[in-house]
Structures are given as C-alpha cells and as structure tokens.
Amino acid sequence: MNQTTLNPNQHINRRNFLRIGLGATATGAFLGFLPKAVAETCGLTPPQTPGPFYPGDENFTADNDLTRLPGRTERALGQVVYIQGKVLGQDCGPIAGANVEIWQAAASGRYNHGRDPNPAPLDPNFRYWGETFTDNEGNYSFKTIIPGAYPAGDGWSRPPHIHVRVAKLGFEELVTQMYFKGHPLNERDLILLRVPASERDRVVVDFQPAGLGFEPNSLKGEFDLTLKSVR
C-alpha cells in the first residue's frame, strides 16, 4: 500500500519548525474532547524500544486520523479508538508545540514495512502512522484502531501496542509504546516486562466507551507523556 509522503521541501520545513521550537496547534481536534486533569505525579514516561518498523520521519504527514485515507470511502478495519492526552514536563507543566508521532500494525497484526515478515494481509484503508503537534495546553489526540497481536518469536506473541515518539526543543526525545489494559498478552510480553512494575501503569491505558461526540461504538483512552528537560 502506498502512503502519502512529504516532498523534500516539506520535510525540511517540518523538521526546521520542530528544531526552532515554534508553537503549533494540534492538527485535528475531535468533537467532545475534554483535556485530562494533570496527574498528581509527573514521573517520566518509561522509554521503550522503537522496534524495527519505524517508517522513517520523511514519511510522516500532519494527520492524526489513521482510520481513513484520502480518496477512499471505506474505513480501516478494526475497533476504532481515540487516544487523548497531554505532553508534560517533569514540573507537570504543559509543553506546547511538541511533535507527537505514532506508528502501529493494522488490525491483522501486520506493519506496512518491508522488513515485517508477518504474512497477515495489509489493510488498504489504514494509514499505519501519523503525527500531530500539541496545542498551547499540551493536548494532543489521535483517532486510530486497536492493532492486532503478532508472533515475535518462539512461544512469544506481542500484545496490541502503539509506538510513540515525542520531540520538543529543550527536552530529551521520548520513544515509548502504549498498551491496552486487560489484554492477556500484556502479562507475558518481554518488552513490557522490562518496564519496572511500579512504572508499568504509565504505559498501559484503560479504554472505555467514547460516548457522545465520537464515532459510534468507539473507545477512548488517555495517555499522558512526560518528558525530561535537558536544561
């Protein structure tokens, strides 16, 4: 499946925009969005491996809806979910203009990446990756689907998860993964288990019915991300 890619000038402009730290608003706001209250503790989000299927930053487009592609009438397969949250500093203050990227497998468990050996089918209506910028209050949001589990080795299957990368001038870049609370494979995942037990809840999200203002039968979860300052 062909994905929309940035031309070279777009790529340079976008990365220059990020490097100089100019503020920007999130590229899409969903009706009914209510920002999560800042947590009482703002411990750092545990970093995790980016995995082998990062699509390359030149392929990202400023789109936070992964469920549909331009020119297509059908929606991506799978359970629709909304991910909403804040990007925060260690002082619990919101970080405006942070670049947030996500990438993931389709509902079949396959990535749109040439190195993925999974024989499961690709979804021609799924975007597979997207990005946005936080608004002045640090809010970001994505609309996507729950990815499928997939075999990762002998006797080991990775649970559904979404890869996240956050970057902002003045803060250490964060690469992590987000998991779905209650999935049975979470308890045996070799990557999630590397996160200290006391910090695991920071990357496991509880999704609940999204309610009014969202796509019918969709789910919504809140995933705050805390960055370490380099100052």
Side-chain angles (χ1 to χ4, degrees), residues 36-55:
K36 181 182 178 182
V38 175
E40 292 182 1
T41 177
C42 292
L44 296 175
T45 301
Q48 296 175 82
T49 174
F53 305 129
Y54 180 69

Side-chain angles (χ1 to χ4, degrees), residues 133-149:
F133 288 87
T134 57
D135 66 14
N136 289 335
E137 301 301 320
N139 298 312
Y140 77 93
S141 61
F142 286 98
K143 181 182 180 182
T144 185
I145 54 94
I146 298 179

Side-chain angles (χ1 to χ4, degrees), residues 88 109 171 184 193 218 231:
L88 306 167
F171 297 86
L193 291 178
S218 63
R231 298 189 179 96

Side-chain angles (χ1 to χ4, degrees), residues 50-66:
F53 305 129
Y54 180 69
D57 60 18
E58 71 276 4
N59 287 321
F60 280 90
T61 56
D63 197 320
N64 60 352
D65 185 350
L66 279 62

Side-chain angles (χ1 to χ4, degrees), residues 105-181:
S108 66
R110 183 173 173 182
Y111 289 83
N112 186 13
H113 194 285
R115 294 173 60 186
D116 187 359
N118 191 345
L122 290 170
D123 183 348
N125 299 306
F126 185 50
R127 187 174 290 277
Y128 285 90
W129 53 77
E131 72 168 353
T132 191
F133 288 87
T134 57
D135 66 14
N136 289 335
E137 301 301 320
N139 298 312
Y140 77 93
S141 61
F142 286 98
K143 181 182 180 182
T144 185
I145 54 94
I146 298 179
Y150 58 86
D154 292 340
W156 173 35
S157 290
R158 291 230 62 203
H161 61 280
I162 293 175
H163 297 265
V164 182
R165 177 190 180 199
V166 189
K168 171 66 178 181
L169 185 71
F171 297 86
E172 291 186 5
E173 180 179 285
L174 170 68
V175 176
T176 192
Q177 299 180 30
M178 187 210 78
Y179 302 83
F180 295 80
K181 185 176 180 179

Side-chain angles (χ1 to χ4, degrees), residues 67-115:
T67 66
R68 294 187 181 275
L69 289 171
R72 295 185 179 271
T73 58
E74 295 185 33
R75 178 179 64 72
L77 298 173
Q79 171 65 61
V80 172
V81 293
Y82 293 83
I83 305 169
Q84 299 179 335
K86 285 180 175 286
V87 176
L88 306 167
Q90 289 171 275
D91 61 355
C92 297
I95 300 175
N99 180 230
V100 185
E101 300 174 344
I102 67 170
W103 65 100
Q104 64 175 91
S108 66
R110 183 173 173 182
Y111 289 83
N112 186 13
H113 194 285
R115 294 173 60 186

